[in-house]
């Protein structure tokens, strides 16, 4: 059931919900084609209910040539046959709602696929035609116009412009197959209003808004000043976890006009019953700019990537908590927290991998789950999965093809359900998963971990239960967060996370949840605990 709200403070369901991100391709494959699908998700909804999450966010399942795993949408109002049919969405929604789970779908408004009828029409039309004005087509620089219109780089590497046969260039902040829409053209917002209504009418509970900070570019499309690297998605294995924190000149991101779109979407969502919501994926540069997306008349939530970008450090975590709470307080929004998703290296690996990386990941998760607002989990983190070293010949991420760097496939490998060999119940026996699954995952399957009281799965289930009981109200007080120990209080709950290398004495109280074994009244390194 959605989180119960105390009668005295009626809060919408999403405000402190735990969301579980289902990466469609890699969750459950019902037909054995190697790709996960909607019937596969439906068949596993009970698993998510048992784990104890409140809502499911499903990544794009719309018709798409799949050049960016579905984030290149060719038709916003249908289902790719590889993932099912529209009736499968209806079945999924019915089943989820029956189980008390909410369902949020992905919306990709910054760009379409180059296979979208609008882009095909744009290519077939002449420079200056109305069909081109839905995208950002421009003349190139130089006497022959053979240089891109500006110096912007694609998030996936290389120039953000490609040239078409008649000599014009079009903007694609991601892959060449993802042309950016021109949100100053009224046809674009009108189309997305219809798309929102289409899915709301079918019964979805909300939307995750892809690249929410990208819709408007500075009108002049001027050069970016002081370019050192082009991307805002921290996509490279080595530097993903440590993105520069200095404020960069970003004429392609986070322009003020974007907020009017979210005001109008808020009004549209409010025409529906049931507290429908939207969460922005906005890689903004500061907590303050993130908070602008969740002003009272804009979107309900924005992903807060600050923790995900922080190193393993009590001081850094304390700063993230302080900075996030301070940023959202003036706009009255609840914060969100996330440690992993399909675009970043899985957090056990970011924290060093192996038993120590996993211990740290569990400790960070337990600490995060105590915080106010809502938390987003990424499929497979409840199994303690690490980033997989996908062999080069199997990689599919456009980032890999454009840069030669490993990219994000390592976080996207299908999850293991049962059995001792690939595909570990991800699909019927004999299925070849779209990314190869490691041979040594037998001990990590859902089947094995559900039977083991010390497994990461059991830890997640217990932590989610404990959260409902102990972590739903109260302000956060940071008792200590300067050296190696993060010590927080929230209502009756005390949270201690040991980021140092020596055990620390536990404060007084009864232990209600720990992220790993404790030694008497000592909290070992890389461990967190909740006490009341
Ligand atoms: C999604 C990515 C995708 C990109 C382009 C993102 O932020 O999460 O997976 O590649 O948008 O749509």
């Amino acid at each position: 059931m959605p989180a119960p709200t105390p009668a005295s403070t009626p809060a919408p369901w999403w405000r402190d919900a735990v969301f579980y991100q289902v990466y469609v391709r890699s969750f459950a494959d019902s037909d054995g084609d190697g790709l996960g699908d909607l019937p596969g998700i439906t068949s596993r909804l009970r698993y998510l209910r048992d784990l104890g999450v409140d809502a499911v966010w499903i990544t794009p399942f719309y018709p798409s040539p799949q050049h960016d795993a579905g984030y290149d949408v060719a038709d916003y109002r249908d289902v790719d046959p590889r993932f099912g049919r529209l009736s499968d969405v209806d079945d999924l929604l019915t089943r989820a709602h029956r189980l008390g789970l909410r369902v949020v779908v992905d919306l990709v408004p910054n760009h379409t696929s180059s296979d979208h009828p609008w882009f095909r029409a744009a290519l077939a039309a002449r420079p200056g035609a109305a069909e081109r004005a839905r995208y950002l087509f421009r003349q190139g620089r130089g006497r022959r116009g053979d240089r891109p219109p500006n110096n912007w780089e694609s998030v996936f590497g290389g120039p953000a412009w490609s040239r078409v046969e008649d000599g014009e260039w079009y903007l694609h902040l991601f892959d060449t197959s993802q042309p950016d829409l021109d949100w100053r053209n009224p046809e674009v917002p009108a189309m997305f209003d219809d798309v929102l209504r289409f899915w709301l009418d079918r019964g979805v509970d909300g939307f995750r808004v892809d690249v929410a900070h990208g819709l408007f570019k500075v009108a002049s499309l001027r050069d970016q000043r002081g370019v050192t690297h082009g991307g805002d998605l921290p996509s490279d294995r080595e530097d993903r976890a440590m993105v520069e924190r200095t404020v960069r000149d970003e004429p392609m991101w986070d322009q003020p006009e974007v907020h009017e779109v979210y005001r109008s979407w808020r009004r549209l969502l409010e025409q529906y019953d049931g507290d429908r919501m939207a969460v922005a994926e906005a890689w903004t540069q500061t907590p303050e700019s993130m908070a602008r997306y969740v002003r009272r008349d804009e979107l309900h939530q924005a992903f807060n990537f600050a923790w995900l970008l922080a190193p393993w450090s009590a001081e850094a975590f304390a700063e993230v908590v302080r900075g996030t709470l301070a940023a959202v307080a003036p706009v009255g929004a609840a914060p969100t927290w996330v440690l992993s998703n399909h675009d970043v290296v899985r957090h056990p690996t970011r924290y060093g991998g192996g038993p120590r990386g996993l211990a740290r990941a569990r400790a960070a998760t337990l600490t995060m789950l105590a915080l106010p607002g809502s938390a987003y989990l990424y499929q497979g983190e409840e199994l303690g999965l690490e980033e997989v070293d996908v062999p080069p010949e199997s990689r599919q991420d456009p980032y890999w093809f454009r840069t030669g760097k490993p990219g994000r496939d390592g976080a996207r490998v299908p999850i293991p359900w049962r059995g001792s060999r690939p595909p570990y119940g991800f699909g019927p026996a004999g299925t070849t998963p779209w990314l190869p699954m490691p041979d040594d995952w037998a001990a990590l399957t859902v089947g094995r971990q559900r039977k083991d009281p010390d497994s990461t799965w059991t830890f997640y289930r217990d932590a989610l239960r404990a959260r409902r009981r102990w972590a739903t109200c109260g302000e956060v007080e940071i008792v200590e967060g300067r050296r190696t120990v993060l010590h927080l209080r929230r209502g009756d709950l005390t949270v201690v996370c040991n980021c140092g290398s020596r055990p620390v004495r536990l404060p007084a109280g009864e232990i209600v949840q720990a992220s790993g074994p404790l030694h008497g009244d000592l909290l070992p390194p890389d461990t967190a605990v909740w006490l009341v």
Side-chain angles (χ1 to χ4, degrees), residues 41-60:
I41 301 172
T42 305
S43 71
R44 307 275 182 186
L45 287 171
R46 188 178 280 277
Y47 165 80
L48 298 178
R49 205 268 316 265
D50 293 350
L51 181 63
V53 301
D54 304 299
V56 188
W57 147 34
I58 305 178
T59 57

Side-chain angles (χ1 to χ4, degrees), residues 21 23 57 59-60 68-72 106 108 110-111 155-156 173-175 178 208-213 232-233 281-283 303 305 341-343 397-398 408 412:
Q21 179 189 353
Y23 192 67
W57 147 34
T59 57
D68 186 21
Y71 284 95
D72 45 330
D106 228 304
V108 188
N110 178 67
H111 43 264
V155 173
F156 294 159
L173 290 174
F174 294 87
D175 189 47
Q178 294 165 299
R208 176 261 189 193
V209 183
D210 188 63
V211 194
H213 58 313
D232 79 326
L233 261 189
E281 185 224 17
W283 289 87
F303 290 130
F305 294 116
N341 65 33
H342 65 295
D343 290 328
D397 186 351
R408 303 164 294 175
R412 300 175 173 183

Side-chain angles (χ1 to χ4, degrees), residues 380 383 385 413-418 423-426 437 441 444-447:
L383 305 175
L385 298 187
V413 172
I415 62 170
W417 291 93
R418 59 171 181 272
Y424 302 106
F426 162 67
M437 300 175 74
W441 270 7
L444 298 177
T445 61
V446 171

